[in-house]
């Protein structure tokens, strides 16, 4: 209840079975996502805190994947990940 949207480092939309970890240093960030639901997820929307110019996704079990519909507003970046099988690492700059 005390953690508001403005204080969250990461928001995930489109799935209740994905957890994420966001780490950052020296102007770069890495987002790690884990799907523990057992089924492939399509169209996961991700909103990490911070203004990031680019995002490169590395999805286990799939070729390197480009993020879609990337938007940057105020102090957040938002994008969609087309597929998530089990694990993904997303590098943000």
């Amino acid at each position: 209840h005390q953690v508001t949207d403005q204080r969250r480092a990461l928001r995930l939309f489109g799935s209740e079975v994905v957890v994420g970890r966001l780490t950052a240093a020296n102007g770069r960030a890495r987002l790690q996502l884990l799907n523990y639901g057992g089924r492939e997820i399509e169209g996961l929307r991700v909103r990490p805190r911070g203004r990031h110019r680019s995002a490169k996704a590395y999805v286990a079990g799939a070729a390197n994947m480009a993020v879609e519909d990337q938007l940057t507003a105020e102090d957040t970046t938002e994008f969609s990940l087309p597929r998530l099988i089990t694990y993904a690492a997303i590098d943000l700059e």
Side-chain angles (χ1 to χ4, degrees):
H1 177 71
Q2 294 177 351
V3 178
T4 61
D5 282 345
Q6 291 80 17
R7 297 173 69 191
R8 293 179 197 269
L10 176 65
R11 296 284 312 261
L12 300 173
F13 303 94
S15 177
E16 296 179 1
V17 293
V18 175
V19 294
R21 180 173 189 239
L22 179 65
T23 56
N26 300 326
R28 294 180 184 214
R30 172 164 276 187
L31 173 60
Q32 298 178 67
L33 300 173
L34 179 64
N35 173 10
Y36 62 89
R39 293 190 305 193
E40 182 177 315
I41 295 172
E42 292 186 16
L44 182 69
R45 194 74 180 158
V46 180
R47 185 188 307 166
R49 190 178 339 161
R51 294 178 63 92
H52 304 285
R53 291 174 287 154
S54 65
K56 294 180 184 175
Y58 306 95
V59 179
N64 293 349
M65 189 176 299
V67 300
E68 297 176 345
D69 303 323
Q70 184 172 342
L71 303 170
T72 302
E74 296 183 24
D75 67 339
T76 62
T77 300
E78 190 169 318
F79 56 86
S80 293
L81 188 63
R83 287 176 59 199
L84 177 60
I85 300 167
T86 304
Y87 173 81
I90 302 165
D91 288 334
L92 305 163
E93 290 188 19

